[in-house]
Amino acid sequence: EPEVTQTPSHQVTQMGQEVILRCVPISNHLYFYWYRQILGQKVEFLVSFYNNEISEKSEIFDDQFSVERPDGSNFTLKIRSTKLEDSAMYFCASKGPGYAEAFFGQGTRLTVV
Amino acid sequence: SQQGEEDPQALSIQEGENATMNCSYKTSINNLQWYRQNSGRGLVHLILIRSNEREKHSGRLRVTLDTSKKSSSLLITASRAADTASYFCATDASAGGTSYGKLTFGQGTILTVHP
């Protein structure tokens, strides 16, 4: 069964460093998303991406964040200068056309020290 | 406003019993989806119910949707210890002819099934 894959599964970084989280969405999907879940809290929407551009973003997704789909398969989330409060599980998701279900990856646990 | 609030926050049952979790939301939706998350792991899609559907079944899962009350329930029948996980509802309220599919999640229900 096709699945969304994310790498790495866990990343530890120093405050102020840049991190890139990587995702390979399901191949025929058209919509791509990043969500995050701070430990013990609910899953929060960060950004959606369609037709090679951001279609919607939350207020969390400030100038420190950026997304890219550089080669038609990978979908990346970059955090330019990490803060302690960026520590969370980051989930990538993808969806086919229409009102279809979204499939999530296993997540990348980001720890900022 | 909060969208997708589940209750109860925690549910503890014995194997073989049924588990019912509820979700309420505040805005009009296109669909509502239920996900399972094992501790510290990824989100597994369970079932999607569209706004024009009232009930849906998948194996031991039964989902209902009442758009007039803006609520949904997830019933797991004949529960097993392996069903122990957190369960989240997520609503798609995206507007426009092309759905961008942004999901709004609730806080989740922690289900513990004792063997």
Side-chain angles (χ1 to χ4, degrees):
Chain A
E1 187 173 323
E3 59 180 16
V4 176
T5 56
Q6 290 186 243
T7 54
S9 55
H10 191 186
Q11 178 150 3
V12 181
T13 189
Q14 293 216 319
M15 194 166 54
Q17 294 297 303
E18 174 183 286
V19 295
I20 297 176
L21 310 183
R22 301 180 193 279
C23 169
V24 179
I26 294 172
S27 62
N28 61 346
H29 281 184
L30 302 176
Y31 300 87
F32 313 107
Y33 312 88
W34 285 99
Y35 291 80
R36 79 171 185 192
Q37 184 182 33
I38 294 171
L39 187 64
Q41 298 188 23
K42 61 180 169 180
V43 177
E44 302 173 288
F45 169 80
L46 291 178
V47 66
S48 60
F49 193 85
Y50 170 72
N51 202 26
N52 285 319
E53 60 183 22
I54 290 173
S55 47
E56 189 171 358
K57 58 184 180 179
S58 72
E59 57 192 29
I60 302 168
F61 194 89
D62 61 22
D63 292 343
Q64 293 297 315
F65 292 88
S66 62
V67 289
E68 246 190 348
R69 189 160 156 79
D71 56 11
S73 62
N74 292 287
F75 180 51
T76 61
L77 173 70
K78 184 193 293 186
I79 309 175
R80 218 179 322 276
S81 176
T82 50
K83 309 184 195 70
L84 294 176
E85 54 265 37
D86 293 328
S87 295
M89 181 78 98
Y90 287 81
F91 293 107
C92 172
S94 69
K95 185 180 82 65
Y99 299 126
E101 52 266 65
F103 291 93
F104 284 73
Q106 286 294 317
T108 293
R109 182 169 296 286
L110 177 66
T111 303
V112 182
V113 297
Chain B
S1 63
Q2 295 289 334
Q3 182 87 336
E5 296 294 324
E6 289 98 333
D7 78 87
Q9 290 187 320
L11 181 61
S12 182
I13 59 174
Q14 294 295 125
E15 214 167 26
E17 293 181 340
N18 295 341
T20 300
M21 288 160 271
N22 303 297
C23 168
S24 61
Y25 58 91
K26 293 191 183 303
T27 66
S28 296
I29 61 171
N30 301 309
N31 63 66
L32 185 145
Q33 304 179 41
W34 284 91
Y35 289 84
R36 184 185 74 219
Q37 183 181 39
N38 288 77
S39 180
R41 306 291 298 276
L43 294 160
V44 176
H45 187 271
L46 295 176
I47 198 164
L48 178 152
I49 187 164
R50 291 182 168 76
S51 59
N52 61 352
E53 297 175 312
R54 292 297 165 256
E55 189 170 311
K56 207 160 179 182
H57 297 254
S58 176
R60 293 185 295 114
L61 305 180
R62 173 177 168 253
V63 169
T64 62
L65 180 64
D66 186 334
T67 52
S68 66
K69 294 181 179 174
K70 292 187 169 58
S71 67
S72 173
S73 67
L74 171 68
L75 168 68
I76 304 174
T77 59
S79 63
R80 304 166 184 165
D83 295 328
T84 295
S86 292
Y87 291 81
F88 296 90
C89 70
T91 52
D92 176 356
S94 48
T98 302
S99 168
Y100 294 127
K102 167 191 164 186
L103 295 176
T104 302
F105 283 80
Q107 291 281 0
T109 293
I110 300 171
L111 173 67
T112 305
V113 182
H114 299 281

